[in-house]
Amino acid sequence: MLPLIGITCGWEEEKQWHKLHHEYVCAVKKAGGIPFLLPSIAKRELITVYYRQMDGFVFSGGSDLDPFYYDEEPHRDLAEIAPRRDFFEIELAKLVLSGDKPAVGICRGLQLFNVAAGGTLHQDLKGVTELKHNQEAPRWHPTHQVWIESESEFGQIVGQKSFAVTSFHHQGINKLGKGFRAVARSKDNLIEAIEMGKRIIAVQWHPECLGMENGVSLAIFKHLVDYAEGVKGG
């Protein structure tokens, strides 16, 4: 059986619904995995069941993370938070960090992994950089460059030193979380990708939006699925 890849979903409190762009599902399917959508639940024992049942994980993009989780008060430019989702994903991320299953973090997912590992965020990038990281362009259109540490695991996975990415965020990594290595940066020196060996890769951009015809995007999701298949088979 193909590996089950759990994908976290967004949550809208007012409408009481879970949401996810179809691009994530398409990316996992194209890479050879079976996508399984994970709703935000608030019971630790059920979160543990999810962790045990899945072979790998995608932590998707979305709302700002509550700065409570990195011991800060909310900045005036903090955007909407989703407490239900925050609790669920932090707990799941801790299980992933302490376990042996692979994961990819995307945009918010990168920020969440960093915080779950004890790192902090810039709650807003105003005053931190003049580079526009929250693009006003089609979702599929890359708008700025990133540069990769060629000796990193991530560099070996994607096989490129630099490329253009999509960018939909107003926050970014400040203090790096324990156990993670920064392996890609934008021109303004903002961290754009982190890794924990080959097992956990997280990027600040949206590879699923670039399509699986994009070599870097395919490599990211294919690595996740192949690693998950190895764990499942082992």
Side-chain angles (χ1 to χ4, degrees):
M1 184 177 177
L2 298 175
L4 291 175
I5 305 299
I7 310 172
T8 64
C9 297
W11 171 253
E12 284 199 21
E13 189 69 31
E14 182 178 346
K15 296 180 179 178
Q16 293 283 293
W17 67 22
H18 300 278
K19 60 182 183 178
L20 185 74
H21 281 287
H22 188 54
E23 295 153 328
Y24 292 101
V25 173
C26 293
V28 169
K29 286 175 61 181
K30 183 71 173 179
I34 299 175
F36 195 101
L37 304 194
L38 303 180
S40 299
I41 53 176
K43 291 187 177 181
R44 286 188 174 90
E45 59 269 28
L46 294 182
I47 298 171
T48 300
V49 171
Y50 277 148
Y51 177 75
R52 290 173 178 168
Q53 293 296 317
M54 297 297 107
D55 302 307
F57 300 89
V58 174
F59 285 74
S60 62
S63 55
D64 285 0
L65 182 66
D66 190 339
F68 161 82
Y69 287 102
Y70 48 100
D71 297 320
E72 289 188 13
E73 293 292 309
H75 187 278
R76 66 172 177 262
D77 290 318
L78 181 73
E80 183 179 2
I81 62 172
R84 178 194 296 260
R85 183 183 186 187
D86 289 347
F87 176 83
F88 170 70
E89 290 192 351
I90 285 286
E91 293 299 313
L92 182 60
K94 288 178 180 178
L95 291 174
V96 172
L97 288 170
S98 63
D100 63 352
K101 297 181 179 182
V104 165
I106 295 174
C107 198
R108 168 192 159 94
L110 169 138
Q111 297 165 10
L112 184 120
F113 265 123
N114 188 63
V115 170
T120 65
L121 304 177
H122 296 293
Q123 291 191 43
D124 190 82
L125 293 177
K126 294 187 186 75
V128 177
T129 177
E130 294 298 317
L131 186 66
K132 188 173 181 63
H133 285 275
N134 196 1
Q135 72 183 55
E136 297 178 69
R139 287 177 57 81
W140 51 264
H141 182 67
T143 59
H144 75 75
Q145 292 283 123
V146 296
W147 284 263
I148 314 302
E149 293 285 346
S150 58
E151 301 303 316
S152 66
E153 299 288 357
F154 183 67
Q156 299 302 310
I157 290 167
V158 300
Q160 296 188 37
K161 295 181 178 179
S162 68
F163 45 84
V165 300
T166 56
S167 193
F168 308 108
H169 64 104
H170 78 107
Q171 298 189 313
I173 290 177
N174 186 0
K175 174 189 170 185
L176 189 62
K178 184 178 180 181
F180 277 108
R181 176 185 176 187
V183 293
R185 294 180 184 268
S186 47
K187 188 175 182 179
D188 55 3
N189 206 38
L190 193 72
I191 295 173
E192 290 278 346
I194 58 177
E195 67 181 24
M196 187 174 285
K198 292 183 177 180
R199 189 171 66 87
I200 303 175
I201 301 292
V203 298
Q204 186 61 81
W205 65 91
H206 282 262
E208 79 285 359
C209 292
L210 293 171
M212 291 302 100
E213 295 75 24
N214 178 282
V216 171
S217 298
L218 180 59
I220 290 171
F221 285 98
K222 191 73 166 59
H223 173 75
L224 169 68
V225 171
D226 288 349
Y227 197 115
E229 191 168 23
V231 172
K232 182 182 178 70

